[in-house]
């Protein structure tokens, strides 16, 4: 029997990915910033350098984080978690913060899957809630 073809638009991304805990860029940024502070505090030698990969990773996630403040990051995850999204969907929406229902569906087509489809009003409410967090951050 041939393996079923993966297709993110239909949430066919494999059991490992469907069960995995995903993190938004803003969540990774918080984790890496905390680790960066720990490394600096633990270092007895002020000339100790943090690896270039670590620094570049931190710069990347900070640059592409939709939310900066810890409370905003927490609120974004809370809001998105209310909609029974797969972790993959939650992180795509949290990272890209689409402004319209059409953009959200184009970025995450699985929002409109049969049997679980979210109606446009629900998606719009979700996007408005995310937008409010960004606005008041």
């Amino acid at each position: 029997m041939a393996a079923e073809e993966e297709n993110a638009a239909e949430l066919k991304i494999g059991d490992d990915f469907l069960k995995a805990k995903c993190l938004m860029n803003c969540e990774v940024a918080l984790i890496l910033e905390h680790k960066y502070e720990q490394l600096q505090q633990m270092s007895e030698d002020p000339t100790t350098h943090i690896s270039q990969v670590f620094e570049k990773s931190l710069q990347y996630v900070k640059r592409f984080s939709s939310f900066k403040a810890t409370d905003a990051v927490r609120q974004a995850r809370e809001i998105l978690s209310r909609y029974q999204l797969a972790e993959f969907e939650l992180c795509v929406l949290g990272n890209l913060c689409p402004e319209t229902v059409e953009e959200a569906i184009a970025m995450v087509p699985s929002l409109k899957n049969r049997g679980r489809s979210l109606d446009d009003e629900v998606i719009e409410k979700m996007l408005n809630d995310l937008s409010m967090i960004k606005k008041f951050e």
Side-chain angles (χ1 to χ4, degrees), residues 7 42 47 50 64-65 68 75 89 101 104-105 107 112 115:
N7 182 346
M42 290 172 44
T47 61
I50 296 179
F64 293 104
S65 290
K68 309 294 184 208
Q75 289 172 348
E89 296 169 315
V101 172
I105 294 168
M107 292 173 189
K112 287 298 197 177

Side-chain angles (χ1 to χ4, degrees), residues 39 47 59 73 78-79 93 102 114 122:
L39 291 171
T47 61
Q59 289 171 12
V73 173
E78 273 180 23
I79 285 169
L93 293 171
E102 293 78 20
R114 288 180 303 227
V122 171

Side-chain angles (χ1 to χ4, degrees), residues 26-41:
C26 54
E27 293 170 313
V28 175
L30 291 176
I31 292 167
L32 292 182
E33 283 175 345
H34 180 71
K35 184 64 176 173
Y36 184 81
E37 290 169 9
Q38 282 181 330
L39 291 171
Q40 285 185 322
Q41 290 172 358

Side-chain angles (χ1 to χ4, degrees), residues 78-100:
E78 273 180 23
I79 285 169
L80 291 168
S81 295
R82 294 177 194 158
Y83 296 92
Q84 287 103 29
L85 301 170
E87 285 285 319
F88 166 78
E89 296 169 315
L90 185 149
C91 288
V92 171
L93 293 171
N95 284 339
L96 301 177
C97 289
E99 294 181 8
T100 66

